[in-house]
Amino acid sequence: MPRNRAVIYEGPGKVEVEEVSYPEFELKDGPGVNPANVGRKLPHAAILKAVATNICGSDQHMVRGRTTAPHGLALGHEITGEVVETGPDVEFIKVGDLVSVPFNISCGRCRNCKEGKTGICENVNPDRPGSAYGYVDMGGWVGGQADYVLVPYADWNLLKFPDKDRAMEKILDLAMLSDIFPTGYHGCVSAGVGPGSTVYIAGAGPVGLAAAASANLLGAAVVIVGDLNKERLDQAHSFGCETVNVAAGEPKDQIEQILGVPEVDCAVDAVGFEARGHGRESEEEHPATVLNTLMGVTRAGGALGIPGLYVTGDPGAREEAARHGSLSIQLGLGWAKSLSFVTGQCPVMRYNRQLMTAILYDRVQIAKAVNATPIPLDDAPRGYHEFDEGAARKYVLDPHGMLASAS
């Protein structure tokens, strides 16, 4: 069998690239695998050779030690690959297909999947609805920051690119379809972004930048991105966004300077639970800051898209309540303004085919917007470190040198 290596979480602040077993059509015991999933037969699965596998901010939460992720967990849920083997129950996906893998693992059979709610599939995680590759409390499906990875329910989950050669010409853009592009787009759709909208996006990391590009694609008139990191704000400005440095003070004052009013039509939280305060409190964590700010700057009757990650367990939180996912949210403000909220995993399959077409027909350059940067798999520890230091880049692991060849 081919050699297989994977990026392994070895404790707070530490990841290593290590030899791991080649995938089999059965879920084996291992770090994070739910006991009820051990021994699960997977004749409906496919094994992929990873073409691109991205480092995500959600991975970074685990690597910082801000979740209950076990040591030894193979990371990675943003996967693009080439099919090298299929199980006996796979009918339509073929060896050689180039595919995008939604980070949500879903069965296609349960009530939620049939309703298009693939982020909360009922059949893949024995603990609760919803699952993902290489992620804490998500059932224990092995992560895809690796040479090879197994994908269950392949006919259902995999998005096949219609023309392999044409796809390889845009492979860095297409690699964003597994998570951050649909996630950013979902945040904007959930917030009601449309032609002529004014939009505030909290966070200029990759998901925030993807949301900003999505807002432009949806026809927003003004897209304002807020962050503490000047380099990331400059990246947002590079494709036409207005920017707000929240270290300088409250976003509403800077929004008013841009728009003439202190409110926007739509708002997106692309930060999540490791949020910091604003102004003089920008060096301290205040996990409810972004949610409360968005309620304050969104017009009455507006909506908030919340793709930013919030967790039920945060061992690194400053406050006891926050360690259990309880935040001091000004719900009364949101109620008084009749605001709508949409939270949870993005159901990637709701958007990925349309966004693929937008990429292939040059309607959006998402890799450029998020500054996608390929690096070898062996450089994953460096990528994690630089991303944690605030690099304005989306690191894309290139296990087999296929991205380098394509470029």
Side-chain angles (χ1 to χ4, degrees):
M1 287 184 180
R3 176 192 187 198
N4 195 22
R5 302 163 299 154
V7 179
I8 305 296
Y9 170 63
E10 295 292 3
K14 186 177 182 182
V15 297
E16 299 287 350
V17 179
E18 300 179 8
E19 296 274 348
V20 296
S21 299
Y22 187 81
E24 299 181 39
F25 293 99
E26 179 181 325
L27 194 54
K28 303 290 188 178
D29 196 8
V33 178
N34 190 295
N37 263 349
V38 174
R40 188 169 180 166
K41 305 298 183 183
L42 305 169
H44 44 67
I47 297 172
L48 307 187
K49 176 182 179 180
V51 174
T53 175
N54 313 338
I55 296 175
C56 179
S58 298
D59 299 322
Q60 200 73 62
H61 292 305
M62 290 188 291
V63 173
R64 291 189 189 116
R66 297 301 296 270
T67 72
T68 56
H71 295 194
L73 184 71
L75 301 172
H77 57 269
E78 298 191 15
I79 307 159
T80 307
E82 181 181 35
V83 178
V84 295
E85 189 175 353
T86 59
D89 289 355
V90 177
E91 185 176 0
F92 303 110
I93 290 293
K94 304 298 182 184
V95 170
D97 286 346
L98 189 63
V99 296
S100 179
V101 184
F103 79 90
N104 327 106
I105 303 172
S106 58
C107 71
R109 296 154 167 79
C110 70
R111 174 179 176 174
N112 283 342
C113 285
K114 289 180 178 181
E115 292 178 356
K117 301 171 184 175
T118 55
I120 44 174
C121 173
E122 297 174 335
N123 289 331
V124 288
N125 182 359
D127 281 339
R128 62 173 184 256
S131 191
Y133 304 89
Y135 210 82
V136 59
D137 296 332
M138 288 292 187
W141 300 90
V142 178
Q145 288 174 10
D147 291 306
Y148 297 90
V149 62
L150 182 134
V151 175
Y153 304 103
D155 281 329
W156 165 255
N157 280 306
L158 295 177
L159 173 67
K160 176 184 172 181
F161 300 138
D163 184 316
K164 192 171 182 179
D165 292 337
R166 185 181 180 194
M168 284 303 297
E169 293 174 0
K170 296 182 179 292
I171 192 62
L172 205 54
D173 292 280
L174 294 170
M176 303 301 118
L177 288 174
S178 57
D179 183 354
I180 66 163
F181 192 12
T183 293
Y185 191 86
H186 177 61
C188 289
V189 170
S190 301
V193 178
S197 298
T198 57
V199 187
Y200 177 64
I201 296 167
V207 170
L209 294 171
S214 298
N216 287 333
L217 188 62
L218 288 163
V222 184
V223 181
I224 305 170
V225 180
D227 204 288
L228 299 158
N229 182 313
K230 183 181 182 303
E231 186 181 2
R232 290 180 171 180
L233 290 173
D234 289 343
Q235 181 64 25
H237 186 71
S238 73
F239 59 95
C241 301
E242 301 287 344
T243 59
V244 163
N245 190 330
V246 299
E250 290 298 325
K252 66 178 181 180
D253 300 326
Q254 299 176 66
I255 289 170
E256 185 169 18
Q257 292 175 9
I258 295 167
L259 298 177
V261 293
E263 289 186 326
V264 292
D265 298 320
C266 317
V268 178
D269 174 1
V271 178
F273 74 103
E274 286 193 67
R276 296 185 187 179
H278 298 149
R280 286 177 291 182
E281 296 184 334
S282 61
E283 296 300 317
E284 302 175 356
E285 277 196 14
H286 293 275
T289 296
V290 171
L291 292 173
N292 289 333
T293 296
L294 295 193
M295 285 189 276
V297 303
T298 304
R299 68 175 181 83
L304 277 59
I306 309 174
L309 177 68
Y310 289 87
V311 295
T312 56
D314 175 9
R318 295 194 315 158
E319 302 172 0
E320 181 62 28
R323 291 174 190 164
H324 306 284
S326 296
L327 308 181
S328 299
I329 298 171
Q330 294 177 297
L331 188 59
L333 174 61
W335 189 93
K337 296 178 74 174
S338 295
L339 299 176
S340 300
F341 302 77
V342 176
T343 66
Q345 289 186 30
C346 164
V348 171
M349 293 174 68
R350 190 177 298 173
Y351 308 107
N352 62 353
R353 186 173 299 276
Q354 302 96 304
L355 296 178
M356 173 188 73
T357 306
I359 289 169
L360 292 175
Y361 285 91
D362 297 316
R363 292 300 306 275
V364 63
Q365 293 180 303
I366 189 63
K368 183 177 180 181
V370 302
N371 197 15
T373 304
I375 60 175
L377 183 67
D378 287 330
D379 284 355
R382 172 177 67 84
Y384 270 95
H385 174 73
E386 292 180 1
F387 188 34
D388 192 45
E389 292 292 307
R393 298 178 182 274
K394 175 67 173 178
Y395 285 105
V396 182
L397 303 178
D398 184 8
H400 300 279
M402 298 175 74
L403 299 179
S405 298
S407 64

